[in-house]
Amino acid sequence: MKTTLEKQLKALQQQLAELRTRADKARGQARRHLKRLERRTRVTVGRTVRVLEPKVRQAVVEAKVIARGVGAGVRAGVAAFREGHPPKR
């Protein structure tokens, strides 16, 4: 005849085994889910970079052209101003 403590110990051992099984299953599912998310993220980032890189390069080229134009306009304005006014003494 088993004592109450032995029955409780056996029940706890069974619960522990069940919990261990569930934890292993959850860990495997989480690992698969994380791998899938990482792969999707890599694909999305790669696609976004491929799409946006040419646009960014073009925008940089246009910004340089605009900056040269603004600089030339400023220089021309300064030169015109200096020609129109005698230097201060």
Side-chain angles (χ1 to χ4, degrees), residues 17-27:
E18 176 66 25
L19 286 174
R20 193 174 290 133
T21 303
R22 288 183 183 179
D24 289 343
K25 184 176 179 181
R27 192 177 300 119

Side-chain angles (χ1 to χ4, degrees), residues 20-71:
R20 193 174 290 133
T21 303
R22 288 183 183 179
D24 289 343
K25 184 176 179 181
R27 192 177 300 119
Q29 289 175 346
R31 188 179 304 119
R32 282 194 307 275
H33 187 67
L34 183 61
K35 280 185 177 181
R36 187 178 302 125
L37 285 175
E38 286 177 351
R39 186 173 56 245
R40 285 182 182 171
T41 303
R42 274 197 311 273
V43 167
T44 303
V45 168
R47 185 179 301 134
T48 304
V49 167
R50 279 195 311 273
V51 168
L52 290 181
E53 188 176 12
K55 294 178 182 179
V56 170
R57 288 182 187 274
Q58 183 62 34
V60 168
V61 168
E62 290 174 8
K64 286 180 181 178
V65 169
I66 291 170
R68 277 199 311 264
V70 169

